[in-house]
Amino acid sequence: MKLNFKNTIKILFFSIAVFSQIKCSSSNDAVDPVVNPPVVNPPVVVTNDVDFWLTKGDQSVLLAKQTGTLGFGTVVNTYTNIEVNASQKYQTVDGFGYTLTGGSADVINQLTAAKKSALLQELFGSGANSIGVSYLRISIGASDLNAAPFTYDDLAAGEIDLTLAKFSLNKDKAGVIALLKEILAINPKILILATPWSAPLWMKDKDSFIGGKLQTQYYDVYAKYFVKYIQQMKAEGITIDAITPQNEPLHDGNNPSMYMSAAEQANFIKNNLGPAFKAANLSVKIIAYDHNCDNPNYPKAILADADAFPFVDGSAFHLYAGDISALTNVYNSYPTKNVYFTEQWTSSAGDFAGDLKWHVRNVIVGSMRNYSKNALEWNLANDGSFQPHTNGGCSMCKGALTVTSTENFQRNVAYYIIAHASKFVPAGSIRIASTSSGSLQNVAFITPSGSKVLVVVNDSSGSEIFNIKFNDKWITTSLEAGSVGTYTWK
């Protein structure tokens, strides 16, 4: 029994020794266990898809491109959506701009050559610092924002000029005409609408620039007055795209002004102005009315006249009374005829924040959502005293620019109202569908190059966070109360 126990012990020790040698020798060839590093997701890179330009009502930001990143995505949130649909198209846009009054030309022409050149490039050019104004309205003869009233055929009391032998553009040649030539050198495609404030006094039933009517016996010669104006402007290198027969035909208290009822305007268009344009082979558009939104029945009465209808391209509106929806009222009644928005002033007593919000909501968003082909603010420029203007003309009309010296000017609220559209929405753009709800009033466009543009004004008293949704993706952005944003993307 002892022998067997000893043998067992020996075998056990031998086995341990062998095992130890094997373990020690094999340890030299051992492979360290693989330790995987912790998984770290790569950083999410958000590319900027949308450019955003901002103006705030407190003027702390003025048409400034924002530096934040707005990338389209699909992360769900509960904010309001403004959904843009490029497949649903409406009217083609002719442009955005101002009235180049005689007074505007006078003060701009007072700038030094270098300063004026820089300003005109900023207003009408296509560079990075330009706002791309694409439409101008001018007066045939004087408006109330000229230093004094005049027409192109002023005669001594008792004289008449049935052949228009004394017709002359001379009173505008150094002012509006000279400045238009400089503008056209920058943008030859700018569209120009011309409108008279008064016929020559010898044609009226009242020997005054203020009020009175066009006498029926002078309808024909007055139509030829328009033809001669268009032809002589063409000879100066200036193409008139459209005319209206009378500025604010129901407002006869301005200086100058002239009353013209809807029936009178229909008669003048169908019997005189339209046939005169046709005989002279003029393709210039005739746009009716050119007055407030409170009387859509005026242009509708003209369009209801079967003989006037073929000569009329559409009707034009201002918004000193009524509601901007009047444009849709007229458009729906005569959908083959265009509507235009041709004037809205900003007052010297106005508030920047209030004017910015009201005008973008009504003049830019409102007119465009109601089928207008253009949107124009009133006078482009005046001086620090809101001059020049006629005796009895508008003494509180504040230009988009105030020219303060030969070297300086300031940009006013109307500059930014128009710039938020004109800089991004060139002529030939098309309005497209965008949802509008609550306080975020907006309008969308697709440009000839395919860019999408959305102009939004926050009409509420507080900040708003919202989404801009396009093709089932969206970006999230915000606007403070009263702020205006223009968003652009490809």
Side-chain angles (χ1 to χ4, degrees):
M1 289 296 293
K2 288 181 180 178
L3 182 60
N4 290 340
F5 176 74
K6 286 180 179 179
N7 288 338
T8 301
I9 293 297
K10 287 178 181 179
I11 292 168
L12 180 61
F13 275 107
F14 178 77
S15 298
I16 291 171
V18 170
F19 178 78
S20 297
Q21 288 179 359
I22 292 170
K23 187 173 189 301
C24 289
S25 64
S26 66
S27 68
N28 294 329
D29 301 321
V31 178
D32 292 334
V34 176
V35 179
N36 292 319
V39 176
V40 178
N41 291 324
V44 176
V45 177
V46 178
T47 58
N48 188 65
D49 297 319
V50 179
D51 288 335
F52 169 30
W53 296 72
L54 175 66
T55 295
K56 293 185 178 182
D58 64 5
Q59 302 182 65
S60 62
V61 180
L62 295 169
L63 194 66
K65 188 177 182 180
Q66 302 304 286
T67 56
T69 300
L70 295 174
F72 280 112
T74 56
V75 177
V76 175
N77 62 54
T78 59
Y79 301 125
T80 298
N81 287 329
I82 297 175
E83 186 159 2
V84 177
N85 180 0
S87 65
Q88 189 172 348
K89 296 180 178 179
Y90 300 93
Q91 77 274 20
T92 301
V93 176
D94 283 351
F96 299 89
Y98 306 94
T99 296
L100 180 64
T101 59
S104 296
D106 288 348
V107 297
I108 290 172
N109 283 334
Q110 289 171 8
L111 293 168
T112 63
K115 197 69 176 181
K116 180 168 71 167
S117 177
L119 172 59
L120 296 182
Q121 283 292 342
E122 178 182 331
L123 291 172
F124 303 103
S126 56
N129 296 321
S130 300
I131 65 168
V133 170
S134 51
Y135 203 112
L136 286 174
R137 183 175 179 235
I138 60 175
S139 59
I140 300 175
S143 75
D144 59 309
L145 294 190
N146 277 80
F150 64 86
T151 75
Y152 298 130
D153 202 333
D154 292 327
L155 306 176
E159 293 184 2
I160 59 172
D161 181 18
L162 296 180
T163 63
L164 300 176
K166 296 183 179 179
F167 182 100
S168 173
L169 298 176
N170 283 346
K171 289 182 179 177
D172 266 336
K173 282 195 174 179
V176 168
I177 290 172
L179 191 57
L180 275 175
K181 290 179 180 181
E182 294 185 63
I183 292 167
L184 286 164
I186 296 169
N187 179 8
K189 295 182 179 179
I190 197 164
L191 293 182
I192 300 170
L193 166 68
T195 187
W197 267 240
S198 174
L201 301 193
W202 55 270
M203 298 185 192
K204 296 170 72 172
D205 64 1
K206 179 183 181 183
D207 187 26
S208 172
F209 278 106
I210 302 172
K213 292 185 177 184
L214 180 66
Q215 297 184 69
T216 54
Q217 67 262 36
Y218 295 120
Y219 273 28
D220 194 53
V221 69
Y222 194 42
K224 292 173 181 173
Y225 177 93
F226 278 84
V227 170
K228 196 152 194 172
Y229 167 74
I230 292 164
Q231 291 172 336
Q232 290 201 9
M233 288 293 275
K234 185 72 172 179
E236 295 287 338
I238 299 166
T239 299
I240 302 301
D241 180 69
I243 62 92
T244 64
Q246 174 60 41
N247 171 69
E248 298 189 341
L250 302 179
H251 173 30
D252 56 356
N254 201 1
N255 182 21
S257 60
M258 188 172 77
Y259 185 88
M260 184 179 278
S261 69
E264 289 166 335
Q265 190 164 119
N267 286 336
F268 178 55
I269 290 170
K270 72 181 180 183
N271 295 318
N272 309 97
L273 190 61
F277 279 17
K278 186 176 180 180
N281 198 30
L282 297 179
S283 59
V284 178
K285 302 179 184 78
I286 298 172
I287 301 172
Y289 191 41
D290 210 3
H291 207 171
N292 287 330
C293 287
D294 62 341
N295 196 348
N297 288 333
Y298 186 116
K300 286 164 79 172
I302 294 170
L303 293 169
D305 188 309
D307 295 321
F309 183 89
F311 293 117
V312 178
D313 172 84
S315 46
F317 297 85
H318 308 171
L319 190 57
Y320 304 114
D323 188 270
I324 195 66
S325 61
L327 278 68
T328 290
N329 177 336
V330 176
Y331 177 82
N332 284 344
S333 298
Y334 297 95
T336 63
K337 299 298 184 180
N338 295 312
V339 292
Y340 300 85
F341 191 89
T342 50
E343 182 188 313
Q344 196 69 25
W345 76 315
T346 50
S347 170
S348 60
D351 167 70
F352 185 100
D355 285 342
L356 178 73
K357 185 167 69 171
W358 189 94
H359 283 248
V360 173
R361 183 179 74 232
N362 287 285
V363 176
I364 303 299
V365 173
S367 74
M368 290 289 131
R369 291 189 79 97
N370 284 280
Y371 297 95
S372 185
K373 291 181 71 65
N374 67 351
L376 307 181
E377 286 283 307
W378 177 213
N379 56 314
L380 177 56
N382 50 16
D383 67 16
S385 301
F386 310 103
Q387 294 273 6
H389 60 77
T390 62
N391 182 20
C394 183
S395 60
M396 297 178 68
C397 288
K398 187 175 189 175
L401 305 168
T402 302
V403 177
T404 55
S405 74
T406 59
E407 283 286 349
N408 293 290
F409 63 87
Q410 65 187 39
R411 301 165 187 84
N412 301 321
V413 65
Y415 174 96
Y416 298 101
I417 292 162
I418 291 298
H420 263 279
S422 61
K423 184 175 179 67
F424 312 99
V425 186
S429 298
I430 299 171
R431 179 170 71 93
I432 56 176
S434 62
T435 56
S436 187
S437 61
S439 58
L440 296 170
Q441 302 298 309
N442 67 83
V443 63
F445 306 90
I446 185 166
T447 72
S449 68
S451 292
K452 273 64 68 179
V453 181
L454 179 72
V455 181
V456 187
V457 56
N458 178 1
D459 198 25
S460 75
S461 57
S463 294
E464 294 275 355
I465 304 173
F466 58 98
N467 301 319
I468 299 172
K469 187 174 182 181
F470 182 73
N471 285 351
D472 296 322
K473 293 185 176 182
W474 52 89
I475 58 102
T476 302
T477 185
S478 64
L479 285 174
E480 293 179 15
S483 292
V484 177
T486 297
Y487 301 84
T488 68
W489 66 96
K490 290 294 185 182

